[in-house]
Amino acid sequence: GAVVSQHPSRVICKSGTSVKIECRSLDFQATTMFWYRQFPKKSLMLMATSNEGSKATYEQGVEKDKFLINHASLTLSTLTVTSAHPEDSSFYICSARTGFSYNSPLHFGNGTRLTVT
Amino acid sequence: AQSVTQPDIHITVSEGASLELRCNYSYGATPYLFWYVQSPGQGLQLLLKYFSGDTLVQGIKGFEAEFKRSQSSFNLRKPSVHWSDAAEYFCAVAFGNEKLTFGTGTRLTIIP
C-alpha cells in the first residue's frame, strides 16, 4: 500500500535553533500534504495544508514565519520549525493524498517527536 | 463550525469482549466520516470510512461502524477485541473538501 515516510522520528534540539522535518510519499504522487501537531493526550490539530508548487495555507493561530512549509515536489514536503522554543516541543505528523478531496485516501507518516531543550 | 465529540477518554475492556467507541459530530449536512487508530509514537492508520450508501461500514482488523443520521453518530464496534487492539482511536469528519477535523481520541486498554 501507499507509504508516507517521515524523518526524523525523534529530534532533540536546543532553544533558538531550527529543525527540519521531511515527509515523503514513497510510491505515489502527493498532490496535497497536511501537517498536524499533536499534544499529549490531545487530538491532532491541523497546522497547514500544502499543495505541490504553491504556498501553504496555514490554519488560524499558526505562525507561518515560525513553521515554514515547503512542498517543492509531488513526493516531498518539509516543515521547518525556526528558532525553536520549549513550547514547540510536540509530536508532528504529516499526511498526504493524491487528489483534492477525501475520496482520495489519506496516508499518514509515523510522526516526529520534537523536544526543544 | 464543525466539531467531533468522542465522549469516552479511556475505555478498558477484557480480551475477547465486545467493544463500542462513541463518536458524535455536529453539522447540518452529512459529512465524510472516518475512524483512525494510532499506536504509541506512531502515525495514524485508517480503519474505515463512510461517504454514502450502506450505513454499516466494514473496516480492517474486524472493525465496523454504523452511521446514524438521526443521532449524528458514527460509533465504532468490534465483536471480540484482541490484546493488539490496545491503542488510541480517533474519529474524524470532513465536509466536502474542507479540512479533516479529529475528535479528542479514546484510549483503549485491553486486560487479559
Side-chain angles (χ1 to χ4, degrees):
Chain A
V3 175
V4 172
S5 174
Q6 189 172 339
H7 179 80
S9 58
R10 290 179 177 272
V11 58
I12 300 173
C13 70
K14 291 188 176 181
S15 186
T17 62
S18 295
V19 174
K20 179 182 285 188
I21 302 170
E22 291 188 348
C23 181
R24 293 181 183 273
S25 56
L26 297 186
D27 51 2
F28 67 99
Q29 293 186 327
T31 310
T32 307
M33 285 188 170
F34 304 88
W35 287 95
Y36 296 86
R37 182 172 178 176
Q38 185 177 31
F39 295 95
K41 302 187 186 301
K42 296 289 187 183
S43 184
L44 282 77
M45 303 300 297
L46 180 65
M47 299 174 67
T49 302
S50 73
N51 294 310
E52 184 268 337
S54 60
K55 288 185 178 180
T57 302
Y58 289 81
E59 294 298 304
Q60 190 173 13
V62 177
E63 298 176 61
K64 60 182 180 181
D65 294 330
K66 180 168 188 62
F67 298 100
L68 301 179
I69 292 172
N70 183 280
H71 191 170
S73 77
L74 284 171
T75 59
L76 174 64
S77 176
T78 59
L79 167 66
T80 301
V81 183
T82 62
S83 187
H85 288 95
E87 57 264 31
D88 298 325
S89 298
S90 193
F91 192 59
Y92 294 88
I93 303 177
C94 71
S95 65
R97 68 182 183 203
T98 55
F100 293 99
S101 79
Y102 290 99
N103 283 314
S104 302
L106 189 62
H107 305 284
F108 285 82
N110 281 336
T112 297
R113 171 72 59 194
L114 170 63
T115 303
V116 185
T117 61
Chain B
Q2 63 196 51
S3 67
V4 185
T5 302
Q6 291 181 248
D8 304 305
I9 297 173
H10 183 203
I11 284 182
T12 300
V13 299
S14 298
E15 189 169 16
S18 63
L19 171 71
E20 182 169 29
L21 302 182
R22 296 183 290 168
C23 174
N24 294 92
Y25 66 91
S26 65
Y27 198 72
T30 299
Y32 298 153
L33 297 156
F34 306 81
W35 274 100
Y36 288 89
V37 60
Q38 183 182 31
S39 298
Q42 299 291 311
L44 276 72
Q45 181 182 25
L46 179 67
L47 288 175
L48 47 77
K49 62 185 177 184
Y50 173 80
F51 286 178
S52 64
D54 193 344
T55 56
L56 184 62
V57 180
Q58 301 297 322
I60 62 171
K61 303 184 179 187
F63 286 93
E64 68 177 24
E66 185 172 13
F67 169 58
K68 293 186 177 180
R69 186 190 305 274
S70 61
Q71 298 176 20
S72 297
S73 68
F74 189 56
N75 294 348
L76 181 71
R77 301 194 294 248
K78 186 169 184 177
S80 176
V81 297
H82 186 261
W83 63 266
S84 60
D85 293 325
E88 189 88 20
Y89 290 80
F90 291 96
C91 180
V93 302
F95 297 91
N97 294 331
E98 295 179 15
K99 66 179 181 180
L100 194 62
T101 300
F102 287 87
T104 50
T106 298
R107 183 160 61 95
L108 176 63
T109 298
I110 308 295
I111 56 177

